[in-house]
Amino acid sequence: MKKLLLSIFILTTLTNSQNTNETIKYTNFPLPTAIFPVEYDLNITTYLPGYNWKADERNMSYLGSVSIRMEVRQEMDKIVLHSSNLTIIDAKVINSDNNLEIKSWTINDSNQFLILSLNKIVNPGENLEVFITFGGYLREDRKGYYITKSTKPTGEPMINAVTQFEATSARFMVPCFDEPQFKATWQVKLTYPTGAVGLTNTIDMESIEDGDFTSTTYKRTVKMSSYLLAIFVGDVQFKETTTKRGLRIRVYADPKNIESVDMALNASRLAVDGFEELFGIDFPMEKIDFVSVFDFEAGAMENWGLIIHRAELILGTDKEIVEVVIHELAHQWFGNLVTMKYWYQTWLNEGFATFMTAIGQTFIDGNFSQDTFHISQQEEARLKDRYRPLRSVAFDKDGSVTIQSIYYSKGSSFIRMLEKIVGTLNFYEAMRNYLSQNMYSNVKEDYLYSALEAVWKTNTNNETTLSISEFAECWTNQNSYPTVFATRTPEGVVLTQNREAPIEKNYTNYDEWGYKWDIPIWYQVAGEGSHELVWFKKDQYELEIRTEKTIIVNAESYGYYDVIYDDVSYQSIARELENNPTLYSMSTKLRLLLDLESNAYTQMIAPHSLVLIANALRNDEFPIVQEYAQTILKTTEFMINRLNEQNNEDLKIIKGFSTNTSKVLRKFYSNPSEQFGDYFKRNFKSDKEFCETLRNERNEEVTNQLVDWLNTNDSSGRKHIMGFLMFCAKNKDKVRGLVFDPSFDWTALEKSRNIQFLKILNRRNIYETREFRKFPSNEEYISRKTIIRIES
């Protein structure tokens, strides 16, 4: 499932955290493992209005039957399935001796169990088949089998039906073993009003029209988890393409928007070709369908062979569409083919799909910067890494499992560290082994670590005592991330580590290793074009790198940690950047600036050091480095002004610089009637670029123009982006007004998301929450062992 990041992270509907003060109705009780499903046969008849059949009391409902063939692994006398909000009409069971019966069945609403009590004990090794008939109504909460609304080209309302089962909502449509570890095959038969289109994970085999209803039988799926089952019934059309080896790909949309699917269609073809070649494993079914729906909780959902997208993330030509398409296709291997065993390992799914999105982008655009993408994931993760760790599970108010946004960005950032530790070629060889050895199975994290260690130690003759599994536990079992302090001494540079990033008060118990980490230290020595790797182990008090030369730590931004230097080091780094700027990559320079930005308000870096580094990079060859250097200068100017030090020498230096950040934003003034979409496409390559420019400029006229655009019809389909840009402008009062102004017609989901961003905006404005305190130098700060935090 796609939770969108940085430039499009506002589209997410996934929670960042769970408020531990809220009352949770816990419903996700694990099933007994005495019995496992092998095959499902599922029949669903959907009574969808808007077609020729005469709507009656069955309207907006469905009837179903399922037969489940099972294998018994432990002695038992009860069959326990997941089921919730369904009417169970009948249930039967048979075995090879035809002497098994269901004495009674019980529906346990509190744990969402359907319990079938048998007339005798069944022994391991026996095979059973259960037949259940059931019914239910199409839901309206975007879970299970639910209603999604659209409009016909004539303007008439149109109702479609679609599923969303991740994480634990398959049980809302069909009684089943609704946990990832219970993989089985599914054969689906759909009956729906004639004139509608019925889709599921696999290609259709046979359709029979019988008056007002049509029945279609589809091929059996490969072995998969229940949350990947998908169904769509409704009025859609498609465009089609094929991959190099002939795999059929279709993108379905409502008739009004079918001409807007070309970008998604072309990107999907290139991405599938690229992933099949990279992984050495073909997509295992005969088709991949994408479907556009207007009512959908997530950005998209990776159902195997039937990928569901929110409409604005598959219709049109925005670059975000390509990112989401690639993410969901990466899931077809990482998540679908190889699936985590338990929900607290979801980062394996989402982390890999996010990580692979970067290389997937290169299949479409050979100039795509994977480094910039990965840095954006690091920054997204650091913003949110104050709640649960990667290896954890959280629950919604109704007790269902929720997918945490940290799984995506931090998961991807952690996987990138693994890649750079073992080497890129070794990493992809290990990934091919990991996929091929675990196809159609469930995995734990150790399966991944073993695959990496096997290739790494074989191909490099690596004799290190490092255990990837032990290294990983520091990063997956603890929340937050380390800050590395680098201090110049006569002998070299001494590194220490500490957790400086804030953690929410209810989430401070995830300190399995005392908030110490095994840190891979990539560093670059002044005058050298390459970097070195040394290890700073969690049980070391400090690490000394012996060199008289200047070094830059976390070179290439490979590591998920930030670095703070002493004043002497910042001075020497600034000189080095001015004298040899081309020796250092965009990633190295950008990481240096991002660490300055994130720690500027904590008083661990003297304003003069901020100015030195930003000044050295303000005219850098890379535009993104220039932008962040300008941001640092403006931040420092703001800090000094708040101190009322008008004669400050650094302030005089800053005011001596000329910036051009307002030039781009002034462009629309020449044509104030220009629509937002046209203005955006003319001036900016991405939402992120627009956001960064707004952050630098803080231009009131642009903010007002965005409000005007939000009040026009032009905001249709882009309102979520424009709301995000208001947050970038950091005009808190204006944002608060927008969030709570009913005239903007925010959906409940959009309003909830906006409130979360408003909270973030409040946190990041330190001057509104505490008196600004000054330390003359970094050394004085460190020597006093003072911790200043940005408080909510």
Side-chain angles (χ1 to χ4, degrees), residues 367-404:
N367 295 319
F368 181 82
S369 172
Q370 294 188 63
D371 289 337
T372 303
F373 177 88
H374 288 304
I375 290 173
S376 75
Q377 301 308 313
Q378 292 170 344
E379 291 306 289
E380 178 73 8
R382 296 205 306 183
L383 179 64
K384 299 178 178 179
D385 198 359
R386 56 175 66 201
Y387 303 100
R388 296 181 181 275
L390 277 181
R391 198 174 193 270
S392 65
V393 64
F395 303 94
D396 207 344
K397 290 180 181 179
D398 64 2
S400 59
V401 171
T402 64
I403 308 301
Q404 303 288 283

Side-chain angles (χ1 to χ4, degrees), residues 321-341:
I321 291 170
V322 174
E323 181 176 339
V324 179
V325 166
I326 294 169
H327 181 100
E328 303 310 327
L329 288 173
H331 267 308
Q332 306 304 299
W333 287 266
F334 289 94
N336 298 6
L337 184 67
V338 177
T339 312
M340 79 281 161
K341 190 170 184 178

